[in-house]
Amino acid sequence: MTTYWCELAWLGGAGAEEGVLIEVEEGRIASVAGGTGASPPGAQRLNGLTLPGLANAHSHAFQRALRGRTQHGSGSFWTWRDQMYRVADRLDPDSYLALARATYAEMALAGVTSVGEFHYLHHGAGGTRYADDNEMGRALIAAAAEARVRITLIDCCYLHGGIGQPPEAAQRRFSDGSAEAWLDRVDALAEGQSVRIGAAIHSMRAVDPEAAAVVAGWAREHDRPLHAHVSEQPAENEACLDTYGRTPTALIADAGALEADFTAVHATHLEDGDVRLLGGAAACCCVCPTTERDLADGIGRMSRLADAGASLSLGSDSHAVIDLFEEARAVELDERLATRERGRHSAAGLLRAASGDGHACLGWPDAGRIEPRARADLVTVSLDSVRLAGWEPEQVLDSVVFAAGAPDVRHVLVDGNEVVRDGRHTTVEMPHELHEGIRRVVA
Ligand SMILES: [Zn+2]
């Protein structure tokens, strides 16, 4: 049994509690008691605000190599995608393992205890098969283990270069050829204590409705999280409406995918009927604001979805930055810009998206909350930096959500294991390994 005494902790309510004693045993929280005054003898003292583990619900680890290389110049999502494909083309299992391990270590340093890796880089260059069809996926699982974070490998079915089109050259690595071949490959991946295997429909551009139904059926049958990119771009809506007379969300509903364990990633350009469908199913919507702004995607109105009954989660997606505080506040601040109204999302609501609801959409309902029997993930944010000077206990959630940054995360516990101590990762040499991992895959 290890005992932690938190100066302040967020236990899921509207504000933070003072003097919270947390007992941890065998990777789980054994007890939680607030209002304990001073740190008792033998307890490890956690100064600052302690949060539950954060979930990065949408990641493409290899895109970390693009940071700083694709921000300049003009263009659109589609020109960015060409640059992204060039990096994807250079990766092999070894270089991907090194890059992903360091990228996940960067996440751990930012307080992320579970990552949802939306994985479509399945095969070798040009589509040639590795000896093990899951070699790239297994590299990602190993990377997460070495960075000491949990992973949900959201294995993605990707079949077409666009509706009715074969994969383009760079996309051949992504395609299994058919939904049945996707299913055979995914069936060979095993789950573990820190590994879940989920399913993804890349998008209704890259997966036809029949194949989408196969993927959804597999997820249902095996009780796995199911994710899809939904309406990130108006062009995706137009293509679906032109071909099928249905929006991407409606097509996903037709495929039998729309249930509470479904996560719509982005959900930026929705029609009112789409909002009703997602809300009515109590689905999750994973918003990735720093990527959406980087790619000029547009602003999703997340409060509409929350009001309709959907839950929200957050992802750093292309990793233009890895900072869940920035993602969280952007949900509210971007909506202010779009609507010229303030205060649709509370700090506690945004933290819930970053922690418990994010974990739930990745298939970890017992993580992301500080309560007895939950997985012992604790993220302690220092309140000592210049960014947070002047904080008061009553408003500390607002201070942290609207002004803290990833560098304010000082200590991170994952399943009771100390992964970050005093702002340093305990096993991965950072930033050196990340720098080297990126240099291997960029020209
Ligand atoms: Zn994505």
Side-chain angles (χ1 to χ4, degrees), residues 24 44 47 66 80 95 154 165 224 229 253 294 343 381 438:
V24 171
Q44 294 194 33
N47 289 327
L66 299 171
W80 169 85
S95 59
I154 305 167
Q165 293 164 17
R224 305 296 176 83
H229 291 126
D294 186 42
V381 181
I438 291 168

Side-chain angles (χ1 to χ4, degrees), residues 58 60 63 118 120 229 232 265-266 317:
H58 190 69
H60 305 284
Q63 294 177 15
F118 197 104
Y120 52 76
H229 291 126
E232 180 175 8
V265 180
H266 301 301
D317 189 359

